[in-house]
């Protein structure tokens, strides 16, 4: 049994935009939890915008976290809610034909829910970590002239978690580096070509069928797309992972190789 309450406020002026929200939850199993968020943006000039935000969030454990029992998994019915405090600061610049976005963030997490195991064992347990703090930044850049658009982005993240002697199954399984470049070209009104490259480096380890741990490492992916625009529909053909790179995603899931789509 439980109940929730929500309240929010928004104020806007010629250059300022402010908003804040609050959410409270009373639960017979997890007690009282609350979330807060405040966001502010300021348009300094016609081409420069500054923004910042603060938030306090919570997450209740899922049914899987609490009760799932498998051959290699043992859930914990005594889990509590996790909480985090986040802050970020960013700016956006638009000077035609260029655009630029920068932001930095910090997230302090407490009682974070994770699946862990001993280095010499195969059984995974769900538990609340004491703390898990993340920080990083994101950068985007764009350039467009007539029918040609070039866009790039880069994200960096690092996480410090108090896992002790446990092997983390999710909290320390994250993308440290993600860099992407995309090109889109309209040689004529109805025809368009796209080409993209993505580099991703995932921290953490995944467990093989032999029980051994393997690092994720980095992977470089290329995709291409061509499309023809009709008056009321678009016909496209695309290929993902053009080089057939073998890599794994969160949780050690093997991702598809070269993939073709037509639609």
């Amino acid at each position: 049994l439980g109940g929730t309450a929500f309240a929010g406020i928004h104020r806007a002026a010629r250059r300022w935009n402010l908003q804040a929200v609050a959410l409270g939850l009373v639960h017979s199993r997890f007690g009282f939890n609350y979330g807060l968020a405040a966001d502010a943006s300021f348009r300094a000039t016609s081409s420069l915008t500054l923004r910042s935000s603060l938030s306090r969030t919570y997450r209740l454990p899922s049914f899987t976290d609490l009760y799932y029992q498998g051959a290699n998994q043992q859930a914990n019915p005594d889990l509590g809610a996790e909480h985090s405090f986040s802050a970020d600061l960013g700016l956006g610049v638009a000077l035609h034909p260029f655009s630029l976005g920068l932001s930095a963030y910090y997230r302090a997490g407490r009682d974070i829910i994770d699946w862990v195991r001993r280095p010499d064992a195969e059984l995974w347990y769900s538990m609340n970590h004491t703390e898990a703090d993340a920080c990083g930044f994101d950068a985007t850049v764009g350039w467009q002239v007539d029918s040609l658009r070039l866009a790039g982005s880069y994200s960096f993240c690092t996480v410090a978690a108090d896992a002790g002697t446990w092997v983390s199954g999710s909290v320390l399984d994250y993308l440290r580096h993600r860099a992407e470049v995309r090109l889109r070209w309209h040689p004529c009104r109805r025809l368009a070509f796209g080409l993209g490259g993505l580099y991703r480096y995932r921290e953490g380890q995944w467990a093989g069928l032999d029980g051994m741990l393997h690092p994720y490492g980095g992977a470089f992916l290329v995709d291409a797309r061509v499309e023809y625009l009709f008056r009321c529909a678009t016909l496209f053909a695309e290929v993902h992972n053009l080089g057939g790179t073998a890599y794994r995603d969160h949780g050690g899931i093997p991702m598809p190789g070269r993939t073709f789509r037509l639609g």
Side-chain angles (χ1 to χ4, degrees), residues 65 76 79 111-116 125-130 162-163 166:
D65 297 326
N76 179 4
L79 287 177
D111 301 320
I112 301 299
I113 299 169
D114 191 12
W115 285 82
V116 298
Y125 301 87
S126 59
M127 67 175 289
N128 289 96
H129 274 302
T130 302
D162 180 14
W166 297 93

Side-chain angles (χ1 to χ4, degrees), residues 1-3 25-32 60:
L1 297 177
L25 167 69
V26 177
H27 194 281
S28 59
R29 166 68 173 78
F30 301 104
F32 175 71
L60 302 183

Side-chain angles (χ1 to χ4, degrees), residues 77-160:
D78 297 322
L79 287 177
E82 68 177 32
H83 308 88
S84 66
F85 174 81
S86 302
D88 74 81
L89 182 66
L91 64 86
V93 180
L95 292 172
H96 186 76
F98 298 100
S99 62
L100 174 69
L102 295 172
S103 64
Y105 62 87
Y106 178 79
R107 176 182 181 271
R110 298 296 179 265
D111 301 320
I112 301 299
I113 299 169
D114 191 12
W115 285 82
V116 298
R117 73 167 192 169
R118 295 295 184 186
D120 56 350
E122 296 184 6
L123 188 62
W124 293 87
Y125 301 87
S126 59
M127 67 175 289
N128 289 96
H129 274 302
T130 302
E131 60 183 49
D133 298 341
C135 63
F137 67 89
D138 301 291
T140 61
V141 61
W143 176 76
Q144 181 166 1
V145 175
D146 298 329
S147 61
L148 186 66
R149 174 169 175 77
L150 181 65
S153 64
Y154 174 71
S155 298
F156 171 81
C157 178
T158 183
V159 178

Side-chain angles (χ1 to χ4, degrees), residues 1-22:
L1 297 177
T4 61
F6 173 85
I9 186 173
H10 176 255
R11 290 289 184 269
R14 189 170 63 91
R15 292 179 177 270
W16 286 93
N17 193 313
L18 304 172
Q19 58 183 356
V21 295

